[in-house]
Amino acid sequence: MQGDAMTRYVYDFNEGSASQQDLLGGKGANLAEMTNIGLPVPPGFTISTDACRTYLETGEQPEALAGEVDEHLAALEKAMGRTLGDAGDPLLVSVRSGAKFSMPGMMETILNIGLNDDSVQGLATISGSSRFAWDSYRRLLSMFATTVLGVERSVFDEALDALKKSRQAETDLDLTADDFEELVSTSKQLIADHRGQPFPQDPRKQLDLAVLAVFSSWNTDRAKVYRRQERIPDDLGTAVSICSMVFGNLGDDSGTGVCFTRDPASGHQGVYGDYLPNAQGEDVVAGIRNTLPLTALGDRDAASYDELLKIMETLERHYKDMCDIEFTVERGKLWMLQTRVGKRTAGAAFRIAMQLVDEGVIDLDEALRRVTGAQLANLMFPQFDASGEREVIAKGMAASPGAAVGKAAFDSATAVAWAGKGDDVILVRRETNPDDLRGMIAAKGVLTSRGGKTSHAAVVARGMGRTCVVGVEALRVDPKRREVRTPDGAHIDEGDIISIDGSTGEVFLGAVPVTASPVVEALLSAGRPEADLSGSPERGGVQHTLTSESDHADLVDAVIRLMAHADATRRMGVRANADATEDAQRARDFGAEGIGLCRTEHMFLGSRRRLVERVILSHSDEQRDVALQELLPLQRDDFLGIFEVMDGLPVVVRLLDPPLHEFLPDLTELSVKVAVAEALGEPDEDATALLKEVQRHDEQNPMLGMRGVRLGLVVPGLFLLQVRAIAEAAAELKKRGLDPRPEIMVPLVADVTEFSIIREQAEATIAEVGEEVGVDLSFMIGTMIELPRAAMTAREIAEKAEFFSFGTNDMTQTTWGFSRDDVESEFFAHYIDAGIFDVSPFETLDVAGVGRIVSVAAWEGKEARPDLVLGICGEHGGDPASIHFFEKILLDYVSCSPFRVPVARLEAARATLGAAAGNT
């Protein structure tokens, strides 16, 4: 079986292992692993991702591939004692995609390859069931036509629906062999009509075309969208697994199903899954028929059910994680078709991680690796208020938890369009298919009338963290009339507001009020000084903040225990961006270790704005000093509150950094006022004089104009007012016995001389205040590195600055040449679709560009001043992917919004573990 070692593309299932997912894809690698540990897997072979990449790059399959497939197919035929598509006793195979990372439903699968007008007769004879044979053939025709030939799936769905209607059949199970034979004829004619060519009768041609179609499905629109959503690289390609068919549609003693070793929605232990008798696997995943619970298999076939439970236990023990398993029972014989580490909801991820720790399967470090900051953020979202008014109209299966409220949209395009206008949307479908992915991403929640917990809607929604309710049989979804009705008379038109509860499966008319997540309440409690982070009730842990009857107690316990380990593991500190006392308190309660960015310009809005205006526009030092003296006590009180809340922790105060126009009268309004006065013959001399001043200060690009350090240098006394307020507030608190730790940050520095001038003035003011009040005052003074020039001269600046805080928002703007307020709505969507970047560089740091600038500045700054403190205070400080980069370049802390502090704490720990393993 061994070809040229450099060009080998095909591997039998008994030749690989679970560690070869790069080469064999997740499906192929796990089929090989199950084969190796002795589980009942139908024989087959896998075409590697190398072959796919070659095909995608050149448009042609590798030259050696056909010969290797010939070899492995011949070996498979010999092992099975049958020949592909033989008219007497045909071997049939499935052709299934399988990338390194699970992409459920995004690529193609084709079953029953090898059936044709001759072999269908042989299959009927050998199986003893003509109905089964014709049912299998019509499935092949539909899947082959849609996947390989590009015919719309709806063409075949409508033909099946029309046949059922003419036979007064409620489901496929009510159709006869003659009915399916008629449907085969109809399907072949539909293929000829739509493609201008007949369905290929040559089994090997079917196989070859199916393989190329699976390769090509890597680049379908939905696959690209899914990879972008899940941040999966575009250059991996997919493997193709070719597996001998086993049949769940042979009769009532056969069936197919999907199961999980733990509940993927909640994480609770037990028997979870879906089963469909007399069906093939696509029926379960597509949600075409509502499934039975897995226990129904036990009622029908106790031996297969017991064997399945043992295999589930074996697989979870082997993979040391919750497993997602596909299986088929063929006339009482159980076959395993796939396994993978199962996708799960955020709550399930935390519960399962801690269950496995408590069971001794994994350690706490591994548990941290298995949860993410994004999942923690999901758990912090509000939930429905149980005490609020609500009208339940139906109930289905709780497939993915959460509380979602929005306008009912009956197709993906509508959901995307409404979400693009800022509306919250619930996507309502009979069942979803992979083409609904864009709508699922745009929607707040997904609601289907068909399907089970393992249907396409459920699996994809769980993976994305979307609220999802499936299998709501009481809902009669009519996509043509754009409405939903229930037997009780409830009616939903497209655009009506509905609410869905992914934890209970309930569907409500109207908007249901929400309440704070119990996880948020627990995290806030855990962050307070008196809290015991152990999470152990007997040791007084924060679990006492919930009643023992709470359904969330085990989840909260898992979160708190993992957060405690995260804090003990992470190297980087986590601070918060906070400008007010209330924000500072919330940040500290969430576990922030200080404030990394206190924006003082936010303190000068409202009634204080006029005072700043007077400082900037004053004609004399006396006028300016009067305005500054009025501002001083107000600014001092601001700092008193924040420093007191953050007692003993650092508070980085950024000196005033607004675009100048934010503190000046509106030029247009003032111009109109002066013009109207002149037109009425009542000129306003004060307004006219003010207009001239405003015109003098008017800027074409305020974001790059008179702001930051430039404002402090040009407007005498403005920065020194703030420094004095900081010093006086700190001195007062020190006299009270507190430990204020302010740090002064000079913004928008481009040159070391700018910084040095402000630093000297600030140090003189601090010393002056210290002498006045008799308190020893000494504060760190540093700068925000937010301009490329500052980063490139970091060595010189570090000789004068005690800390750098990287302002990655402005750094991104100035590096890319973007005006954030303009470009995000103008062309970012196009850039993402074109693959210029996968995600907005304002959301996740542009590592190749902005990241490189930051890393150079950090490295050279540390070389010049080894004790230089390095932090990040842009929005990237709370972004999980960016945090891993900041760990890699050894920043000392990240700073983010208070609500993101727990996320940053968790991801900083995961980044530490990743760095230790060489993965960050």
Side-chain angles (χ1 to χ4, degrees), residues 20 31 38 197 209 272 433 623 638 731 856 860:
Q20 294 179 288
L31 283 168
Q197 60 186 22
L209 290 174
Y272 296 94
N433 63 59
Q623 288 179 331
D638 292 328
V856 167
E860 295 191 355

Side-chain angles (χ1 to χ4, degrees), residues 610-629:
R610 297 284 301 195
L611 292 173
V612 181
E613 177 187 318
R614 283 167 50 195
V615 170
I616 295 171
L617 298 179
S618 58
H619 295 289
S620 68
D621 291 344
E622 289 182 359
Q623 288 179 331
R624 184 180 300 111
D625 289 344
V626 169
L628 288 171
Q629 287 305 311

Side-chain angles (χ1 to χ4, degrees), residues 396-716:
M397 297 184 201
S400 184
V405 181
K407 296 165 65 174
F410 287 85
D411 61 50
S412 185
T414 301
V416 170
W418 286 354
K421 297 176 182 178
D423 294 333
D424 291 341
V425 179
I426 306 294
L427 180 64
V428 182
R429 303 284 282 159
R430 288 175 179 165
E431 70 273 336
T432 64
N433 63 59
D435 291 328
D436 287 317
L437 180 63
R438 287 184 182 272
M440 296 179 74
I441 292 173
K444 296 295 183 183
V446 179
L447 173 64
T448 71
S449 60
R450 300 174 181 169
K453 284 189 175 183
T454 58
S455 64
H456 174 268
V459 172
V460 174
R462 276 196 297 272
M464 294 193 303
R466 290 291 183 279
T467 299
C468 183
V469 175
V470 300
V472 190
E473 295 180 341
L475 298 183
R476 301 291 183 262
V477 179
D478 190 333
K480 291 185 177 179
R481 292 189 176 184
R482 324 294 283 186
E483 66 176 16
V484 173
R485 293 183 179 274
T486 72
D488 297 334
H491 181 256
I492 302 169
D493 286 319
E494 188 164 58
D496 287 350
I497 300 295
I498 60 173
S499 304
I500 61 173
D501 190 331
S503 300
T504 66
E506 292 172 304
V507 182
F508 310 93
L509 280 180
V512 175
V514 296
T515 187
S517 159
V519 170
V520 168
E521 296 173 2
L523 287 169
L524 288 170
S525 298
R528 295 181 181 121
E530 67 276 10
D532 171 8
L533 294 184
S534 68
S536 172
E538 63 270 18
R539 296 202 301 269
V542 298
Q543 203 170 20
H544 284 311
T545 61
L546 298 175
T547 63
S548 59
E549 296 80 18
S550 171
D551 291 336
H552 304 290
D554 61 337
L555 173 59
V556 167
D557 177 66
V559 170
I560 295 303
R561 289 171 64 192
L562 274 173
M563 292 302 295
H565 187 64
D567 289 336
T569 300
R570 60 185 165 87
R571 182 195 62 82
M572 282 193 298
V574 176
R575 302 185 189 181
N577 302 339
D579 317 324
T581 303
E582 298 80 8
D583 291 338
Q585 184 64 62
R586 174 165 285 255
R588 184 154 195 165
D589 288 345
F590 270 134
E593 297 159 323
I595 291 178
L597 176 62
C598 177
R599 303 176 182 90
T600 55
E601 59 270 17
H602 292 178
M603 301 173 181
F604 290 103
L605 300 177
S607 60
R608 303 184 194 181
R609 185 175 178 275
R610 297 284 301 195
L611 292 173
V612 181
E613 177 187 318
R614 283 167 50 195
V615 170
I616 295 171
L617 298 179
S618 58
H619 295 289
S620 68
D621 291 344
E622 289 182 359
Q623 288 179 331
R624 184 180 300 111
D625 289 344
V626 169
L628 288 171
Q629 287 305 311
E630 289 184 51
L631 280 170
L632 178 60
L634 301 174
Q635 181 82 114
R636 182 175 57 240
D637 288 345
D638 292 328
F639 295 136
L640 276 170
I642 293 173
F643 295 167
E644 185 171 5
V645 167
M646 284 291 165
D647 181 44
L649 297 176
V651 177
V652 177
V653 180
R654 183 177 71 184
L655 301 179
L656 201 60
D657 183 32
L660 189 61
H661 71 279
E662 291 186 7
F663 289 115
L664 296 178
D666 183 86
L667 179 60
T668 302
E669 291 181 4
L670 190 57
S671 298
V672 170
K673 180 180 179 180
V674 170
V676 169
E678 290 177 350
L680 294 174
E682 302 173 356
D684 186 332
E685 294 183 3
D686 290 340
T688 301
L690 182 59
L691 176 60
K692 289 181 180 179
E693 282 296 309
V694 173
Q695 287 173 330
R696 184 169 68 86
H697 289 286
D698 184 45
E699 297 174 320
Q700 292 298 314
N701 190 344
M703 293 301 293
L704 296 178
M706 182 69 75
R707 55 173 285 219
V709 68
R710 303 158 193 168
L711 192 63
L713 290 169
V714 172
V715 179

Side-chain angles (χ1 to χ4, degrees), residues 893-917:
Y893 69 86
V894 296
S895 188
C896 55
S897 69
F899 193 79
R900 299 288 290 181
V901 164
V903 173
R905 289 163 53 201
L906 180 67
E907 281 299 340
R910 284 168 36 80
T912 298
L913 293 174

